[in-house]
Amino acid sequence: RAHQSTVTAFAAVAGATVQAVDVGVGRPTGDIRVEAALSAERFDECVAAGRDAVAALDADLLVLGEMGIGNTTPAAAVAAALGGGDPAKWVGRGTGVDDDGLARKQQAVAQAVARINGVTDPLEVLREVGGAELVAMAAAVVAARQRGLPVLLDGYVVTAAALPLQQVAGDALAHCRVGHCSAEPGHRRLIESLGMTPLLDLGMRLGEGSGAMAAVPLVRMACAGITNVPTFTEFFA
């Protein structure tokens, strides 16, 4: 039923609005173990969708989240390909897969990373082993930077989508903060590699942008404290 997702419930409390952008329902991406997730044409479509969504916003803060089944797998593949080390260490249980499921997931990520060995362009890595939603969110982050719009990143998938941008340009995420640290172990590793500190660390794994949305009241209070409360110098002037 409408307006009964976790993020919409949180948004109502935070005084925010929610917009869903469809970049892939009914259009599966490629099997990243053996082929590119997205063609160059589909990649460009997703970039345009992310940019257009931000261009249409009337907002002073952008909270990015995602909805998708199995998308912590491409997130782990992007993180492993760009972050290095044992690919298995970037893989978590997602929505709660059992040990056999976790082993299959680790194997899939390892195969995907091995397949693109030698690819050095971070955006090409995103096209090869990411997903449509990851590409759209990366484009949204860039569009927000061009507008001077601050961004709160949600969990593992969103942060993994932003990682290639930071590797293209070191200050590409200067307008971003990580809203929360999810229960995925790879997310904590990724946040640390980006040199960021999450605003909240509650072990959430709900997706939808709900973790970052939970941090919006904290951001609102911080803004109120900065703008409405005088410093000692101002108070005694």
Side-chain angles (χ1 to χ4, degrees):
R1 284 177 277 181
H3 308 299
Q4 292 191 354
S5 64
T6 303
V7 71
T8 53
F10 284 12
V13 174
T17 58
V18 177
Q19 177 184 351
V21 178
D22 177 10
V23 292
V25 174
R27 300 177 64 193
T29 52
D31 183 344
I32 61 173
R33 298 174 301 174
V34 297
E35 60 185 332
L38 300 166
S39 66
E41 295 76 16
R42 180 105 186 262
F43 181 91
D44 290 343
E45 288 178 18
C46 295
V47 168
R51 286 178 174 169
D52 291 347
V54 173
L57 290 177
D58 178 14
D60 51 20
L61 176 67
L62 175 61
V63 178
L64 287 175
E66 43 66 39
M67 293 182 291
I69 301 301
N71 55 12
T72 55
T73 300
V78 171
L82 296 177
D86 181 0
K89 292 184 178 180
W90 292 101
V91 181
R93 294 184 183 272
T95 53
V97 297
D98 59 17
D99 289 347
D100 289 341
L102 179 62
R104 289 192 297 270
K105 191 173 176 181
Q106 290 171 334
Q107 183 179 38
V109 169
Q111 289 174 320
V113 171
R115 180 180 64 80
I116 63 167
N117 182 42
V119 176
T120 57
D121 182 347
L123 297 182
E124 185 65 6
V125 170
L126 184 62
R127 183 185 74 83
E128 285 280 355
V129 299
E133 70 276 47
L134 277 79
V135 173
M137 290 188 294
V141 170
V142 174
R145 177 64 177 271
Q146 292 169 338
R147 281 189 54 179
L149 184 63
V151 174
L152 279 185
L153 306 173
D154 190 51
Y156 195 19
V157 181
V158 181
T159 312
L163 174 63
L165 304 177
Q166 192 261 1
Q167 296 206 347
V168 170
D171 65 346
L173 305 182
H175 62 309
C176 299
R177 293 294 181 268
V178 177
H180 82 117
C181 183
S182 78
E184 283 289 288
H187 191 214
R188 188 175 299 277
R189 295 186 69 203
L190 185 52
I191 292 171
E192 291 173 353
S193 72
L194 290 172
M196 294 185 175
T197 301
L199 299 183
L200 298 176
D201 190 350
L202 303 174
M204 298 172 65
R205 59 165 76 244
L206 297 172
E208 305 172 4
S210 55
M213 186 65 75
V216 170
L218 182 61
V219 174
R220 291 173 66 94
M221 286 187 284
C223 292
I226 291 172
T227 58
N228 297 339
V229 180
T231 64
F232 284 119
T233 301
E234 292 168 336
F235 187 82
F236 291 107

